[in-house]
Amino acid sequence: MNKSYLGEFEELILTIVGILQEEAYGNAIVTEIKHRVDRDVNLSAVHVTLYRLEDKGYVKSSMGGATNSRGGRRKRIFTITNAGIAVLRAMKESRTELWKLIPQLKISYGQG
Amino acid sequence: MNNNTTPSASVLRLLRWFCPEALYESIEGDLREQFEIDLSVRGKGYAKRRLLWNVLRFFHPEIVLRNRFSITLINTIMIGNYVKVTWRNIQKRKVYSIINAVGLSIGIAFCMLIFLFIRDEQSFDQFHTNKNNIYRIDVHEYAYWDVNVEEKDRNDSHAYMQLGLKQVLKEEAPMVEYATRYSNSFKGIVKYDDKVFTEDLTYVDADFFNMFSFKLISGNREKLFATNSEVAITEGVAHKYFGDENPIGKTMQIDSEGEKSFLVSGIIETPPSNSSINFKILLPIENRPYYEKQLDRWGSFSTPTFVQLKAGSDLTAFNYNLEKITEKHMGDRLKNRRKEGNVPDNIDIFHYGYTALPDIHLKKEIDWEKVSDPQYSFILGGIALLILLIACINYISLALTSSASRRKEVGVRKVLGAFRKQLIFQFGFESLVLACISLIIGFGLAILFLPFFNEFTDKAIPISNENLLILLGSGVMITLLVGLLAGSYPSLVLSGFKPVLVLKNSYGTKVNTAFTKPLVVLQFALSAFLIISSVIMYKQMYFITTKNLGYNSDQVLVIPTQTGWNNEAEKVVARFRTRMQHDGDVVAVSGTSSSFNRGWSKNGYKIDGINRSAFVYAVDPYYVPLLNLELESGRNFDVNIPSDTNAVVVNEALVKDMGWTDPLNEYLNYNEDSVGPGARVIGVLKDYHYRSLEAPIDPMFLSMDKEFVGHLATMLVKVSSRNIPETIEKLTKAWIALYPDKPFDYTFMDQDVARQYESHQRWMSIVGLSTGFAILISCLGLFGLAGINAVNRTKEIGIRKVMGAELSNIFVLMNKQFIWLSIIAFIIAIPFSWYVMRQWLTKFEFRIDMDWTLLAGSILCGVVIALLTVSYHSLKAAHTNPAETLKYE
């Protein structure tokens, strides 16, 4: 149980890596988060989290090809692993389970 | 322009410095991308600030410590394993572990002791609060009058001053705050109640107590020595005379050239062993014998003098003052000296100097009690390092040659993912564990050996808490050093094995000992050096102690007459002779001004315009027969010929010096009598060694002229060899009957003579002891190597035996290489020891020749030791049944 626990920020990053597919690298993730959830995150925080996820085995990384921008520096492309997808799915499911346990009464009361 | 649109290099360099290599490129790329976006959207100022900020944000533990952190993690995990493997190895190879531990611990113990020695040497006189302002005045003189001194030895430095100098210094040198004379060459008879002993007396000025920091246990420092009839004594003396009584206010009788009463007014701490100033009984200097007479004699140098300068005084100004004092008080005298000795103007004939108090101990040029040669520290340190080095070589060569058994381990470890660094760490750790074990043993050994070491080196280093701490501290330092030194090479070699080759067994089962051979040779050469040195030292000391000195000092008691320098002395000798001469056990009684190794006096005189000098002894007619001195020609003094008081008996060296052909018709005008021809020569003695064998036999004469030459301050009593203790008891009784108020002190002349070579004897013991240890350690190493060698060749020997080799063949085969190694080692060691021992032997005027028999003897001895060491394994190997060793093939 403990091992598969993800923090909120880790979960966010992992999800974004899943969304971006082949284009998931540091800057792209920062931009994507800004674009989708309108949240300013720091590049270093993204990197640190990515490495942590890599240690846990939820993402893997490889160096992409060189480009003309970025002073010719290669990108480190992160891809989500099966374990990563599994942990995301497990978290989503467990949350849905919990969500179901909230009494529906309250909602209907509000609606009423 | 271009410069301004790219990220600044220094910021990126900062990133590169802390960022792990693997992550760097992508991080830099991301940062650059961000920078480019910022540049186009917000301008370059913002972009640059943002970049710096971002880089700083990356200084994050999870970035910085990535990778590095993981390695340390593995190491801490592995340490448990290393400890286990180390322990198993020690147990598995008990013999080698013991050899290493014994060798290292002896080396460590030696080093610790030597460290204590050197520290003790450095600590001399450091305990005085005013040590930086106290100086001893020295004199540097040109020995113009003594013709028997070679030119190079003419500059004579000593610390004995004129008695009047202290007052002059206080009055004429304004920077002198305190000054004291310090005269400790006198003995006196000290009495309180029925207790009578001879004691060393030290005469000082009242300033002594203000300058030096010896604790005053009771008494008033300010008022001490306010009168001339006070005495300050150490606790030991207080206890000896007064027991449990309080000595303060009691009166002691002290007799040194006349008895006087002194009031005990101070009890002072006994000077510690690292003090250059030593005393038991302190008396005001005005009581010193001949004080009044010598006070304004500027030609008489008798009394050391210390000054304390005011804090911050200028030493050049002090020097200038000393020069002025020399000119004022010695000017005319020095001019005369220069004229008399025909000393050229460019030679400095006399000047005062000074030595700072903490420097006195190691300033060997100027003689002082306990003065020491800083060379001793170097020699001892060198010996300790040699032994440590030999022990380290043991460790290295044993670790290397036994590495075969560790190869598989290295291979497996590497295959399982161990880095080379980890293996180096592992083997380094093992050697450190062994060094730590040795440290514990060595620490115990050092404490055990300290009393013997003190005896050898003539020191009194106590086992105090402070010293224990120093021992431990230095031990830990040495251990770390040894662990690194001995562990680094084997660990580099062992960790370098290629796993594939090791595991495929391409190295074979044999261990290559090629790289350990030079180490063994070096080790054996060091031992050989010590062996040769100690053999030569032993031969020289044997030569000295058994050489015919030209006189017979057996069963001769040396008894001070305790009368002081006056004609009472002659009366004591005469009375004692009258009383004892009919005793069957007393062979003869004689008197002399000074006995062997108990002082000497040298006279300088001018004959026919030539400066000459000779040693002189005042004697009586019984002296020559008592010592069995041989006459070359002429006769001894005769009691019945009154004119013999103005006659001399000379030695052959003096005859040669004077160039006499018929000495018995000559006169020796040693007292520069301008009227008569001087003393008549009545006899010529064969040369005998009246001084130590370190000195040549210089011209010497015996005289009975008491007034001019001296009084019979020492009585010699020759006793028969039968029941000596009883005879001594009889002599003591006779003395007490004659002089109940004077102590009966005696020594044996042969012991006095032997004492001249005490320091050489000590050095011989030290070198001998270290040689013993060096041989022991290197033999242990050799033993271990021979064992490995035998194991390596088990199969070969098996095959040879099957093919019909004799036991003796195998024995020779196994030992041959070790014999060669030891011979090579000796060949290397010979020139070094030859050189060093020649230097040592030059100290002796009479010495053995170093010839090839000595060297051959040492080589033979060394080779035999080596042979005995390795024989155990060769015999064992030769006796093994070949079936045992070959059946596994």
Side-chain angles (χ1 to χ4, degrees), chain B residues 644-665:
Chain B
D644 272 4
T645 48
N646 191 29
V648 290
V649 173
V650 302
N651 71 351
E652 290 170 305
L654 190 130
V655 173
K656 213 171 144 198
D657 183 49
M658 298 297 291
W660 289 335
T661 46
D662 183 14
L664 295 180
N665 281 322

Side-chain angles (χ1 to χ4, degrees), chain B residues 440-466:
Chain B
I440 297 165
I441 304 173
F443 189 63
L445 284 178
I447 293 171
L448 200 69
F449 281 135
L450 190 58
F452 303 101
F453 183 74
N454 274 336
E455 207 174 298
F456 278 140
T457 53
D458 202 18
K459 289 238 168 239
I461 304 169
I463 305 181
S464 62
N465 284 341
E466 193 202 346

Side-chain angles (χ1 to χ4, degrees), chain B residues 140-153:
Chain B
H140 306 281
E141 269 185 293
Y142 181 76
Y144 69 98
W145 56 274
D146 195 343
V147 284
N148 287 321
V149 172
E150 281 176 44
E151 191 61 39
K152 66 178 165 60
D153 296 329

Side-chain angles (χ1 to χ4, degrees), chain B residues 521 815-825:
Chain B
V521 168
N815 288 343
K816 205 167 59 189
Q817 64 161 326
F818 288 108
I819 301 304
W820 273 115
L821 288 184
S822 51
I823 288 174
I824 293 170

Side-chain angles (χ1 to χ4, degrees), chain B residues 565-577:
Chain B
W565 203 244
N566 53 52
N567 49 19
E568 277 302 306
E570 284 84 76
K571 290 182 194 157
V572 170
V573 176
R575 281 179 75 184
F576 205 75
R577 180 184 303 120

Side-chain angles (χ1 to χ4, degrees), chain B residues 93-104:
Chain B
R93 299 182 301 143
K94 282 200 189 72
V95 178
Y96 302 131
S97 307
I98 289 171
I99 288 173
N100 279 329
V102 167
L104 280 180

Side-chain angles (χ1 to χ4, degrees), chain A residues 93-109:
Chain A
E93 278 168 6
S94 71
R95 206 163 301 155
T96 322
E97 294 285 302
L98 289 171
W99 177 247
K100 281 182 189 154
L101 292 182
I102 298 176
Q104 297 299 308
L105 186 68
K106 252 185 182 168
I107 298 165
S108 54
Y109 181 74

